[in-house]
Amino acid sequence: MRALIVSDIHSNLDALDAVIADAGRNGGFDAVWSLGDMVGYGPEPSACLRRLREFSLTAVAGNHDYAAAGVINAADFNGAAYAAIQWTAKQLDAGEIRFLAGLPQVAQQPPFTLVHGSLRDPITEYLLHPGQAAATLELLTTPYCLVGHSHQPFICRENGHPTSSRQAAVPRFYAFPEGERVPLDSVRCIINPGSVGQPRDRDPRASYAIFDNNGPAIEHYRVEYDIQATQSKMRRAALPQYLIERLDYGA
Ligand code: ZN
């Protein structure tokens, strides 16, 4: 079984289609696992939901999914994100709103737990530091955890290296190497596949992962997509200029 792992697609259909095609070339997949923020920011929310639902899909909610569906209040979003959410909500039909509102905050696909932010705060925590990773590992009941939200690809391993014999080992963050197969072993870990539709690690290419239970192993890939086509659609939708420009820089 191979699962395509996507996160933070953010209504970017050009990026999503590039990822699906590239994953097909990289050995294919049997299911899609989405770690939240399928919508928000980008120009094609409904088309992205339709595309994802063509596959055997397991999806958890992100803050933008819940905000677009009115489950959470978008008032504390920044100006551009708020404007995009208002626009997004108007594009979605009643069935799409129900689908987003009904997304679970946490899902399990053994050996993984899927969540957007973190296990102690599934919708809003950006898991980026060892203390945050330790808190999620404490709540984790499967060997591995998949997160999104920060748009930063990484692997965080539980064992780390204690600085002294009296100190507990702290989780350590590692780069998620592109194009490599990372074996999953007995060390528990938290993995972020990066963002499909709005990368923020200074690499504008769409980012995704594939889990292969024959190993088991996880692979990280980047793929170029037609950024200008997405930007034209965003201009036509009058989405905020800042959101259009940041796709060029992956920031
Ligand atoms: Zn996001």
Side-chain angles (χ1 to χ4, degrees):
M1 199 285 296
R2 289 168 64 84
L4 169 60
I5 303 165
V6 289
S7 190
D8 299 277
I9 296 161
H10 284 297
S11 304
N12 189 332
L13 184 66
D14 297 301
L16 177 59
D17 278 341
V19 161
I20 289 167
D22 196 58
R25 291 189 290 271
N26 287 321
F29 56 91
D30 310 293
V32 176
W33 300 347
S34 169
L35 308 177
D37 284 0
M38 294 182 278
V39 302
Y41 294 136
E44 292 178 282
S46 296
C48 283
L49 295 180
R50 273 199 302 277
R51 178 73 80 252
L52 287 165
R53 293 167 83 182
E54 290 170 12
F55 300 95
S56 167
L57 174 67
T58 302
V60 293
N63 49 324
H64 288 255
D65 303 318
Y66 271 179
V71 176
I72 61 168
N73 191 335
D76 57 350
F77 278 35
N78 69 49
Y82 183 78
I85 277 299
Q86 301 295 105
W87 180 87
T88 300
K90 279 187 244 148
Q91 312 305 311
L92 300 170
D93 68 27
E96 290 161 345
I97 297 277
R98 265 198 308 279
F99 170 71
L100 292 176
L103 289 171
Q105 297 190 8
V106 179
Q108 288 200 355
Q109 279 288 356
F112 293 96
T113 298
L114 283 56
V115 68
H116 185 59
S118 75
L119 286 180
R120 68 177 173 185
D121 186 352
I123 300 300
T124 54
E125 183 176 27
Y126 291 92
L127 196 160
L128 288 166
H129 303 293
Q132 298 172 312
T136 278
L137 287 164
E138 188 137 347
L139 296 168
L140 185 66
T141 57
T142 57
Y144 318 112
C145 188
L146 295 168
V147 302
H149 195 38
S150 67
H151 301 205
Q152 306 292 331
F154 64 73
I155 295 183
C156 176
R157 287 166 66 85
E158 180 167 44
N159 63 341
H161 300 286
T163 49
S164 81
S165 56
R166 282 194 295 166
Q167 244 179 324
V170 292
R172 291 215 359 184
F173 286 80
Y174 299 88
F176 192 174
E178 181 187 338
E180 268 177 50
R181 223 174 128 78
V182 178
L184 293 166
D185 52 28
S186 59
V187 177
R188 300 200 308 161
C189 59
I190 303 169
I191 297 164
N192 190 323
S195 168
V196 170
Q198 195 202 72
R200 292 181 193 162
D201 59 342
R202 308 265 156 204
D203 182 340
R205 296 174 301 161
S207 184
Y208 71 98
I210 294 178
F211 166 64
D212 186 348
N213 77 347
N214 185 11
I218 194 153
E219 303 155 7
H220 180 215
Y221 297 103
R222 303 298 288 247
V223 61
E224 288 184 10
Y225 71 96
D226 193 342
I227 292 176
Q228 289 179 1
T230 302
Q231 291 171 321
S232 302
K233 293 171 193 171
M234 293 173 79
R235 265 183 224 107
R236 280 201 292 278
L239 284 159
Q241 188 62 24
Y242 164 66
L243 299 179
I244 297 170
E245 284 169 7
R246 68 188 300 181
L247 295 180
D248 282 324
Y249 309 108

